[in-house]
Amino acid sequence: MPLMPKRVKHRKSQRGRIKGKATRGNRVVFGEFGLQTLQGGWVSAATLEAARVAATQYLRNEGRLFIRVFPHKPITSIPLETRMGKGKGEPEYWAAVVKPGTVLFELGGVGADAARICLSRMAHKLPVKVRLIKRQTA
Amino acid sequence: MTEKLSVEIRKENGKHAARRLRRSGNIPAVLYGHKEETVPLTIKGEDLSRVMRHGARFVELIGAVSDTALIREMQWDTYGVELLHVDFARVSADERVRREVAIELRGEAPGVRAGGVVQLILHSVDIECPAMAIPDKLQLNINHLELEGVLRVSDLSPPENVTILTDKESVVVQCVVPLEMPEEAAPAAEAIEPELIGRKAEPEEGEEGVEEK
């Protein structure tokens, strides 16, 4: 089941604007390798789930996957062939708002080759350009 | 051997001057410590790349300033590609300094052959050592790590003169049975909405709540 909040203060939110680059959540901190976005955008909960399933199928219970973003934002839409007006549409799905530089996923406990293949399979599912990064050593 | 780094005094301050400097291939830096004056510096990008390539942490500054210093902090851009700024702290060669050093696992755990997964919990430890002898990394042998076993900071064997400051009981690595992760996404039978904070269901409507509309 895709990720979504358990409790929210409001059912709908305004669209907002993505300004600037990520100044937090832009380094690998839990695992050894990560997928960092090069573009900003909305990543839906279904997309995150698809990437997670792709990783799980490849890893086969080896290593550990960390999902670094959470879909907090409700995205609404109005049905097809509906006349304009009558208020804002109903929530359709949940999305994570990502700025360029955000680390979406991290992998730990696997070798460099396996991590590269796994993260590249996950990257195919994503709507933003990403790159593979390694943990910066202390 | 100590790496030598040629530096110049930086006359202009501020973000615009720093950006101009970076465009011309230089890196802004600063030297401080030992209760002496703070000195803004400029370093050539290629010189700093050479020092970083060699993994040096203790450098000898030559040129406008003659001193020995420790690379205290490096600031990177959002993507971790471009170096923005470097902090140098004045230290003498025999002075003891505190640093964070990465942990590297060596060997193959027998627990993996028994179906376990090795999880590195602590990626680095704080150490105190002479400035001249900062280790690149501390190695931890996992050849005796059985399934459901753990290795702690006390199992690390640091070189001579190196004191580990991190709590000795902290777990560094463990070998655990892998968690079964659901492979396929469960089909969403119906759109489930999250609970609304501050909105309570009316008592006569029972469990159906107010979100039914």
Side-chain angles (χ1 to χ4, degrees):
Chain A
M1 172 134 170
L3 294 167
M4 65 186 283
K6 285 195 181 104
R7 299 171 78 217
V8 291
K9 204 160 183 181
H10 305 287
R11 285 182 66 224
K12 301 174 185 177
S13 75
Q14 297 189 341
R15 285 191 179 77
R17 204 153 73 93
I18 300 168
K19 294 202 292 182
K21 295 174 189 164
T23 54
R24 300 190 293 181
N26 56 353
R27 297 280 182 268
V28 177
V29 286
F30 295 104
E32 295 294 323
F33 304 93
L35 264 191
Q36 187 182 43
T37 60
L38 299 175
Q39 295 174 321
W42 293 343
V43 182
S44 74
T47 305
L48 292 174
E49 178 66 11
R52 187 195 68 79
V53 170
T56 313
Q57 284 176 347
Y58 180 75
L59 291 173
R60 294 273 167 210
N61 290 334
E62 272 183 30
R64 194 167 172 198
L65 178 74
F66 301 89
I67 304 174
R68 291 284 310 275
V69 289
F70 187 85
H72 286 288
K73 188 179 182 68
I75 310 296
T76 61
S77 66
I78 53 170
L80 291 175
E81 299 182 3
T82 309
R83 288 184 182 275
M84 288 293 107
K86 306 292 177 198
K88 192 169 170 69
E90 288 302 305
E92 283 292 311
Y93 62 95
W94 295 83
V97 180
V98 297
K99 286 184 172 187
T102 309
V103 173
L104 297 179
F105 299 99
E106 287 183 24
L107 266 181
V110 289
D113 292 338
R116 189 174 296 112
I117 296 170
C118 181
L119 291 172
S120 112
R121 287 186 180 202
M122 296 169 81
H124 275 101
K125 307 286 180 190
L126 297 171
V128 284
K129 276 188 185 175
V130 289
R131 72 186 191 110
L132 192 152
I133 55 169
K134 280 167 71 174
R135 186 189 191 90
Q136 284 186 336
T137 50
Chain B
M1 199 180 114
T2 313
E3 287 282 337
K4 288 185 178 170
L5 197 58
S6 167
V7 295
E8 291 170 25
I9 299 287
R10 179 158 48 101
K11 294 186 181 77
E12 288 182 312
N13 292 326
K15 64 183 173 188
H16 292 107
R19 282 173 189 164
R20 272 199 299 275
L21 212 61
R22 289 185 197 112
R23 272 200 296 272
S24 62
N26 296 317
I27 310 283
V30 68
L31 174 68
Y32 53 76
H34 280 180
K35 295 184 178 173
E36 289 178 34
E37 198 183 354
T38 301
V39 187
L41 300 171
T42 303
I43 315 163
K44 281 188 181 160
E46 60 224 45
D47 288 351
L48 197 60
S49 307
R50 173 179 51 80
V51 169
M52 284 164 56
R53 212 167 37 245
H54 295 170
R57 295 166 182 215
F58 180 71
V59 290
E60 186 182 342
L61 303 179
I62 53 171
V65 176
S66 298
D67 218 329
T68 51
L70 191 73
I71 299 177
R72 171 68 60 84
E73 191 182 340
M74 288 179 163
Q75 289 175 26
W76 297 86
D77 71 339
T78 298
Y79 304 106
V81 176
E82 300 284 332
L83 190 58
L84 301 180
H85 187 269
V86 184
D87 279 18
F88 291 106
R90 287 188 190 95
V91 289
S92 48
D94 54 346
E95 192 177 326
R96 288 182 76 81
V97 293
R98 291 179 173 203
R99 286 300 300 236
E100 198 181 343
V101 174
I103 296 172
E104 189 183 55
L105 301 182
R106 279 297 171 111
E108 196 178 335
V112 173
R113 271 175 255 132
V117 175
V118 173
Q119 284 185 352
L120 185 60
I121 308 287
L122 199 66
H123 289 84
S124 60
V125 284
D126 293 326
I127 62 163
E128 192 180 78
C129 63
M132 273 290 281
I134 300 174
D136 286 340
K137 52 188 78 167
L138 294 181
Q139 292 182 346
L140 180 62
N141 195 335
I142 58 168
N143 280 332
H144 304 292
L145 183 64
E146 300 288 344
L147 189 63
E148 304 288 354
V150 295
L151 292 177
R152 298 176 190 275
V153 172
S154 53
D155 296 319
L156 286 166
S157 44
E160 230 179 290
N161 280 338
V162 173
T163 315
I164 297 177
L165 303 174
T166 309
D167 182 20
K168 296 268 187 290
E169 288 303 307
S170 301
V171 173
V172 177
V173 62
Q174 62 182 9
C175 185
V176 293
V177 179
L179 290 173
E180 286 289 329
M181 289 176 75
E183 254 188 33
E184 297 299 330
E190 57 194 59
I192 305 162
E193 282 204 16
E195 180 192 338
L196 278 175
I197 297 169
R199 183 86 65 91
K200 287 183 181 169
E202 289 173 22
E204 59 268 21
E205 285 185 6
E207 291 181 358
E208 289 175 0
V210 286
E211 289 176 37
E212 199 186 11
K213 285 179 186 176

